[in-house]
Amino acid sequence: MTTPALLPLSGRRIPTLSPGASSFTHHRATLRLSEKFILLLILSAFITLCFGAFFFLPDNSKHKRFDLGLEDVLIPHIDSPKEGKHASGQVVIHGQGGHDEHRHREEQESLRDKIRADHERALQEAKEKLRKSREELQAEIQTEKNKVMEDLKKTNAGPKPLPPVPMPRVVGINDGEPPEPDVKEKRDKIREMMKHAWDSYRQYGWGYNELKPLAKKGHSTNIFGNSQLGATIVDALDTLYIMGLHEEFKDGQEWIEQNLDFSVNAEVSVFEVNIRFIGGLLAAYYLSGQEVFKLKAVQLAEKLLPAFNTPTGIPWAMVNLKSGVGRNWGWASAGSSILAEFGTLHMEFVHLTYLTGNPAYYQKVMHIRKLLAKMDRPNGLYPNYLNPRTGRWGQHHTSVGGLGDSFYEYLLKAWLMSDKTDTEARKTYDDAIEAIERHLIRKSNGGLTFIGEWKNGHLERKMGHLACFAGGMFALGADGSPDDKAGHYLQLGAEIAHTCHESYDRTVLKLGPEAFKFDSGLEAVAVRQNEKYYILRPEVIETYWYMWRFTHDPKYRQWGWEAAQAIDKYCRVSGGFSGVKDVYSSTPTYDDVQQSFFLAETLKYLYLLFSSDDLMPLESWVFNTEAHPLPVLHLGNITLPGSEPAQR
């Protein structure tokens, strides 16, 4: 899932040089190496002269202060009784004088002589360089060039090959054609919508993270830093593959092989990059078997690990891919990390450990789980904010929508992905859902079941579009529920699906708002203007798909088709698909963004809704929160590196 547009990226949520341009830049830089080398020599000589002049200046009082040994100023010397220790036992800090002063002067003179000699040698070398003929200089420069090229070759030699591991059983990745002609016709329409979205991006935004379909140019947001990482390409790959769009898939793979580079000076969202890039690359690898996707996923994952270097091991929200420096969002409660962000890493990191043999990924996410298990939870609820420095909760705000949502989703999916052996994850999920039911789930006066938000002891009767994923989650987790409550949770999923459908049906465009209230006589309707937008979100359609898989009630296909028609009618433009700013207006204005998750999630779930159940069967695949399918790991007696043997 994705995050609210105005909440930078918590919850389920730039132009790229072509290969030719890149090589031209490198060639031009090489051509100028000789000029840079000469300038460097001259600059070095100048700096050396400056330093030399400084050290040859006569002593004065200012330089005498400089002569003080560091230990004279910073390190306390404790007098022995012989030296007259004060009766109070206080520590005396000596100044310069006597024997110590003489010793320090000698040391400083020795140091100064060494510096003089070093600078004289550097000056002499610079003079000799400048006396050489043009031919001699060119020969030296060529030698330096060759050395640089050799170093570059070593750097670009690529990562070490990953250890071979058994490929998980991959089933149900092709076809899925429904037997009913009318359903097939709808599925073909969804495939055509995907082709329009992809072709538009291919034509107008290739290599950028996202597309501005009206302006017909590339677009990016702060979650990807200032770099052109081709987010839409990575996010869309598995959808293309599942839909049988193999030429388009091949184009995306070629771009990734030639252009996707994570050694950039860019500050990115750990959460968003994990679910979109690592999730997308791993899914593309499992579906296609192409090693490049696995290697790229591992390269990126290594860049995310420094985000965990905090006093508690709870990762920062953002990390610089080049420097490894992390920080949190400025708006998050008192510098806190966000539950849905640090709690939505487990699926991808377990697969990383499985594929690489490196236990660090598994250990990082299990450390988070263990830390949370030790903490007190108000009313059994998990607040959305946790300070990574102190290990304490921030403000007591609990939500199954933005800021909290995918934390609960990943507890359930960790259990499913482990072939139902991770019973600790299942128990944690069950306890959390029980508290959510008790405190957050209510029925409106009109009979609509909704999930509110808990804020400092008060239930806000508002539900976000993001929280609509929960209907599918309750259905997915019904089997295996404690106390024979499978039927109860399947029914709860159906009720949430109905409420979210009402939020769509009560708008002019038949598309759902970002958030909707249940008070003052209004139900499932947005009140604030800044909550009336629809940005191509998938959560409602996701729930329709899960409910269809578990019940085969035809209304879910009907509701999904209503949404698909509305998207095609009101969001489609000549340059792709755009979000709309007011779903209650008959003449909506566009936000001019084709989100990458529209191709990763919304269109994938619609396609699966109109496919047969043997395409991506839920017994074999678990979808991450960006709808990237990862295979169930049937590990049997195999234990992940760094883990304890699983208990059934």
Side-chain angles (χ1 to χ4, degrees), residues 405-554:
D405 46 19
S406 47
F407 165 72
Y408 307 102
E409 175 190 3
Y410 269 41
L411 290 174
L412 172 63
K413 290 181 175 179
W415 175 68
L416 292 169
M417 200 179 74
S418 72
D419 198 17
K420 301 182 180 179
T421 60
D422 187 354
T423 52
E424 181 184 68
R426 177 77 214 205
K427 176 71 164 63
T428 308
Y429 168 79
D430 289 332
D431 291 347
I433 296 307
E434 184 184 337
I436 286 167
E437 254 203 290
R438 192 181 314 120
H439 297 287
L440 303 186
I441 297 181
R442 297 289 183 269
K443 203 175 276 279
S444 72
N445 294 334
L448 295 177
T449 301
F450 67 94
I451 310 173
E453 298 192 7
W454 191 266
K455 290 187 176 179
N456 296 315
H458 168 73
L459 182 69
E460 187 176 10
R461 297 171 66 85
K462 179 174 81 171
M463 184 171 177
H465 192 291
L466 289 164
C468 285
F469 92 98
M473 179 178 72
F474 292 141
L476 184 62
D479 184 30
S481 297
D483 307 322
D484 298 321
K485 293 176 78 172
H488 165 74
Y489 282 112
L490 195 59
Q491 177 60 28
L492 181 58
E495 291 176 14
I496 296 296
H498 173 66
T499 297
C500 293
H501 175 256
E502 286 299 306
S503 78
Y504 274 53
D505 203 44
R506 297 180 185 190
T507 71
V508 172
L509 304 186
K510 304 302 178 188
L511 293 169
E514 182 69 6
F516 40 96
K517 290 213 164 187
F518 296 88
D519 57 15
S520 306
L522 294 172
E523 296 195 357
V525 175
V527 176
R528 297 178 180 174
Q529 189 60 41
N530 66 357
E531 294 175 340
K532 294 180 178 180
Y533 60 88
Y534 173 71
I535 58 170
L536 307 171
R537 285 205 187 279
E539 291 78 20
V540 175
I541 293 164
E542 175 185 356
T543 278
Y544 294 165
W545 174 60
Y546 279 112
M547 293 307 302
W548 164 257
R549 278 284 174 103
F550 289 110
T551 70
H552 285 164
D553 187 328

Side-chain angles (χ1 to χ4, degrees), residues 20 35 100 113 117 168 259 319 370 385 412 491 508 510 540 542 557 568 627 633:
E35 291 94 325
D100 284 344
D113 289 342
N259 297 281
V319 70
K370 287 180 170 64
Y385 299 107
L412 172 63
Q491 177 60 28
V508 172
K510 304 302 178 188
V540 175
E542 175 185 356
R557 277 184 166 170
D568 199 52
L633 292 174

Side-chain angles (χ1 to χ4, degrees), residues 74 95 103 137 173 226 234 239 334 396 407 423 461 488 503 526 537 567 611 627 631 639:
L74 299 179
R103 177 170 55 84
L137 281 173
I173 60 175
N226 56 357
V234 180
T239 306
H396 286 186
F407 165 72
T423 52
R461 297 171 66 85
H488 165 74
S503 78
R537 285 205 187 279
I567 291 169
S611 299
T639 303

Side-chain angles (χ1 to χ4, degrees), residues 129-239:
K129 294 273 186 194
L130 292 172
R131 286 195 198 104
K132 288 184 179 179
S133 68
R134 180 186 179 86
E135 291 74 19
E136 288 174 314
L137 281 173
Q138 283 179 335
E140 285 193 11
I141 289 167
Q142 189 58 48
T143 303
E144 288 297 322
K145 279 184 185 178
N146 294 340
K147 186 174 181 299
V148 169
M149 293 304 294
E150 284 300 316
D151 290 343
L152 279 173
K153 282 179 187 174
K154 289 176 186 174
T155 304
N156 296 330
K160 294 177 184 176
L162 296 173
V165 293
M167 186 75 160
R169 189 156 47 92
V170 174
V171 296
I173 60 175
N174 295 306
D175 195 22
E177 184 170 312
E180 309 90 341
D182 61 322
V183 178
K184 181 182 182 304
E185 188 179 333
K186 289 168 181 169
R187 188 173 94 138
D188 288 345
K189 175 59 182 175
I190 304 303
R191 192 172 184 265
E192 183 277 328
M193 290 168 68
M194 176 67 181
K195 189 131 174 47
H196 176 62
W198 175 265
D199 288 347
S200 298
Y201 170 78
R202 181 75 176 85
Q203 183 173 356
Y204 304 118
W206 193 240
Y208 285 74
N209 289 316
E210 292 173 319
L211 171 67
K212 294 177 79 67
L214 277 83
K216 295 183 177 178
K217 63 181 184 179
H219 170 72
S220 192
T221 64
N222 63 340
I223 59 176
F224 305 119
N226 56 357
S227 290
Q228 305 110 2
L229 297 172
T232 294
I233 299 172
V234 180
D235 234 358
L237 277 174
D238 53 7
T239 306

Side-chain angles (χ1 to χ4, degrees), residues 63-73 95-96 104 108:
H63 296 120
K64 283 178 183 174
R65 284 199 300 274
F66 174 78
D67 283 345
L68 279 172
L70 260 183
E71 60 269 34
D72 283 319
V73 179
Q96 64 185 57
H104 287 307
Q108 288 299 318

Side-chain angles (χ1 to χ4, degrees), residues 105 517 572:
R105 283 184 179 279
K517 290 213 164 187
R572 185 175 185 139

